[in-house]
Amino acid sequence: MPSIVGAKALVTTSCSTGRSPRQLVRPAYAAISRGAATSLVAYAHATGLDAVHSYRQILWPDGSPYLEPRYPWVHDPRDAESVYTLMCERGIWKSGTNILRDRAAPGWVAPFRSSTELRASDPLFMVDQNTWLVRRALATEHGFPERYSEDDPMVDMAPDDKFLRRLLEARVPIAGTGEPTIRYYLGGISN
């Protein structure tokens, strides 16, 4: 029997954009900075895309910037440093800052691994669920998964990874605003 693991408490906010209803999807431990929803809606309109996302500012629970040279979701310190370095080299993490540039490699490229399992030769697939603005019909069609295999926790396959994979498999065009408008507080359910 499949088990349900790693589910995050979702807070959804509907955004009326004329005839194109969209939803902001974010877990309870993230905060949207002033103007984030507006910039996401404007970017969706400008690009004509049904799935857009922003970047994140990674913060300690007290609100101070996370500046450690380690990827905070990898528990082994050496592996955390390796993943952080790889992400900096590939432009995902802006070295010396708390800015994480979520992104999805264009098109479907196998293998699909979570960011904590990332290898040097892997394509980059990482869009956290709290950074999305997705057209409601697209979210309904592809939705966040509710069932997980017994192997998913072993490879750290979380809801946001599975949702992104569904979108990539369906060849849904995805783009990021380039703005770090999500304040992501460490210490939540995923840490």
Side-chain angles (χ1 to χ4, degrees):
M1 177 175 174
S3 59
I4 298 175
V5 296
K8 297 177 183 177
L10 292 181
V11 177
T12 59
T13 305
S14 295
C15 296
S16 177
T17 57
R19 294 188 319 215
S20 55
R22 299 179 189 274
Q23 286 194 329
L24 283 170
V25 182
R26 61 185 176 89
Y29 55 84
I32 296 176
S33 62
R34 179 172 283 141
T38 302
S39 73
L40 282 164
V41 170
Y43 192 70
H45 280 296
T47 61
L49 297 179
D50 292 339
V52 298
H53 63 86
S54 62
Y55 292 169
R56 290 180 276 167
Q57 299 172 51
I58 308 302
L59 305 167
W60 289 108
D62 68 2
S64 61
Y66 176 83
L67 300 173
E68 302 291 325
R70 288 179 290 284
Y71 193 63
W73 298 279
V74 175
H75 299 290
D76 178 86
R78 282 196 317 235
D79 290 344
E81 289 172 5
S82 295
V83 171
Y84 175 85
T85 299
L86 178 61
M87 291 206 171
C88 288
E89 289 170 354
R90 297 183 69 191
I92 298 292
W93 201 294
K94 189 173 179 182
S95 182
T97 75
N98 68 326
I99 305 301
L100 187 56
R101 300 169 174 155
D102 290 84
R103 74 172 66 156
W108 172 250
V109 182
F112 187 100
R113 288 191 242 287
S114 75
S115 57
T116 59
E117 299 288 318
L118 189 65
R119 297 179 188 160
S121 60
D122 288 344
L124 295 170
F125 302 107
M126 184 176 66
V127 180
D128 201 75
Q129 67 190 21
N130 62 62
T131 66
W132 286 109
L133 177 70
V134 178
R135 185 178 300 276
R136 185 179 301 134
L138 185 68
T140 300
E141 180 180 350
H142 298 287
F144 279 90
E146 296 178 7
R147 299 196 182 274
Y148 295 85
S149 72
E150 290 182 21
D151 293 332
D152 286 339
M154 300 303 292
V155 294
D156 200 22
M157 192 60 62
D160 42 11
D161 298 311
K162 286 181 159 275
F163 179 68
L164 177 58
R165 183 175 184 164
R166 287 178 177 182
L167 295 181
L168 291 171
E169 287 173 338
R171 302 212 187 291
V172 173
I174 299 167
T177 65
E179 300 175 33
T181 56
I182 301 298
R183 294 185 311 269
Y184 186 104
Y185 294 88
L186 295 172
I189 198 166
S190 65
N191 304 116

